Amino acid sequence: MNTTIKKDKYQQQEGLLKKLKQRLEDCWSGASQVLEELDDFYYDIANDKRLNTRTQEKLEDFFDCFLSDIKDKASDMQYESQEAIDSFVKDFNINEEV
């Protein structure tokens, strides 16, 4: 019976570790989503023919002033999230598949 309890606790711990790894992967995905949306935002500014030149320039300035910093931070967050995932997998001997 004692072996069954230990096995159950081990399985519960493994389940929690996989859940925590998934949370880290969700952080990475969130940063990826931010990058993708900002790329799409800029693409729309640069390529939408419905914008007149003045509005397009104002939107490009807006992107440069406010959104490019967010994009840089999201890129850093994505990189750091991947580093955290890799370290977590190594430190806790987690299977790559969740």
Side-chain angles (χ1 to χ4, degrees), residues 19-63:
K19 182 179 178 180
L20 293 172
K21 180 180 178 262
Q22 182 61 50
R23 289 187 186 276
L24 291 172
E25 290 172 344
D26 291 347
C27 291
W28 183 93
S29 294
S32 296
Q33 181 67 31
V34 170
L35 289 169
E36 186 176 314
E37 292 297 330
L38 290 173
D39 283 343
D40 290 348
F41 186 95
Y42 191 81
Y43 179 85
D44 289 345
I45 292 170
N47 295 296
D48 197 317
K49 302 302 181 202
R50 294 174 292 180
L51 297 173
N52 65 40
T53 304
R54 184 172 183 275
T55 302
Q56 186 177 20
E57 289 171 355
K58 284 178 71 173
L59 283 166
E60 288 172 350
D61 288 344
F62 175 82
F63 187 92

